[in-house]
Amino acid sequence: MARVADWRLPYDDKYITGHYGTMSDFRRKNGMQPHSGTDWARPSGTRIPAIAKGTVRLIQYSKVLGWVLVQTAMDKDGKIWYLGYCHMDKKPGYSVGDKLTKSQTVGLIGNSGMSSGSHLHATASKTLKGVFGATSAKVDLYKLILENTKGSEAKQADKEVEKVVEQVESKIVYACPHCKKELC
Ligand SMILES: [Zn+2]
């Protein structure tokens, strides 16, 4: 049976300014790869919530991605992913090996590295190194999050259906114990 993976989107969809795999005119003109993560534009200093529970695996400064924190996260199939939070305002206050719970603050939104405005560039990769650069190890983080929130949402929906069924059944009064029809 598939596990229920309890992941979350860091911010509302309305703040997304760049989806995975998109190719802007700027990128094309500058010979850049398609976008390798998902961008959410938020003001500097906004807290970044952990997308899922996991363990801090890397804290690094990169010329391109600025301050980066990478955590592990387990998906609904038990597979481990590396989630990267990039362009943070400063070095996040964690050490490698620290545990994170879902929604725990991993750092604050910033504009470090090659970034033209304060935003979170977040990525998902099958490998730790894959977080840096456009590699085949990367996948669409946004889609991956949605796949891993479905389990818990579906479970919740099932519970609600069960409740409604119970309520409906408790209202039915069988008048006849033999044929169980009302007004028999
Ligand atoms: Zn980006």
Side-chain angles (χ1 to χ4, degrees):
M1 204 181 82
R3 284 159 229 250
V4 177
D6 189 21
W7 292 27
R8 61 163 287 170
L9 288 163
Y11 308 107
D12 194 276
D13 285 4
K14 68 182 177 201
Y15 300 118
I16 293 177
T17 52
H19 271 290
Y20 177 84
T22 49
M23 195 63 175
S24 61
D25 284 347
F26 178 82
R27 288 181 171 276
R28 203 169 287 120
K29 268 185 216 151
N30 289 280
M32 290 162 76
Q33 300 282 336
H35 193 223
S36 63
T38 307
D39 287 342
W40 283 270
R42 302 299 293 130
S44 273
T46 306
R47 74 175 202 98
I48 304 168
I51 291 164
K53 76 168 186 181
T55 306
V56 176
R57 277 289 159 239
L58 185 76
I59 292 168
Q60 189 173 306
Y61 186 83
S62 133
K63 260 198 294 187
V64 178
L65 297 174
W67 278 113
V68 177
L69 182 145
V70 181
Q71 70 158 104
T72 53
M74 190 186 278
D75 72 9
K76 61 183 182 345
D77 301 319
K79 206 162 132 196
I80 298 294
W81 292 93
Y82 293 89
L83 309 182
Y85 306 85
C86 312
H87 305 302
M88 287 195 275
D89 69 333
K90 58 178 186 285
K91 188 178 184 179
Y94 288 102
S95 304
V96 170
D98 282 350
K99 302 279 183 223
L100 295 170
T101 57
K102 187 183 93 167
S103 299
Q104 189 172 331
T105 303
V106 295
L108 302 177
I109 292 269
N111 196 25
S112 59
M114 278 170 65
S115 168
S116 56
S118 66
H119 77 289
L120 170 67
H121 168 91
T123 62
S125 175
K126 290 171 199 153
T127 63
L128 182 58
K129 271 191 175 172
V131 170
F132 299 91
T135 70
S136 56
K138 277 214 186 85
V139 300
D140 185 340
L141 169 69
Y142 180 76
K143 273 194 199 156
L144 190 67
I145 294 174
L146 293 190
E147 282 167 21
N148 287 292
T149 51
K150 265 182 199 157
S152 50
E153 279 167 11
K155 227 184 171 185
Q156 185 58 34
D158 281 350
K159 262 189 204 160
E160 276 161 17
V161 168
E162 276 168 25
K163 234 191 252 168
V164 170
V165 169
E166 262 174 36
Q167 282 168 0
V168 169
E169 283 187 343
S170 68
K171 276 185 192 158
I172 299 172
V173 180
Y174 296 113
C176 170
H178 305 291
C179 66
K180 294 193 174 176
K181 273 184 192 157
E182 286 180 278
L183 308 170
C184 173

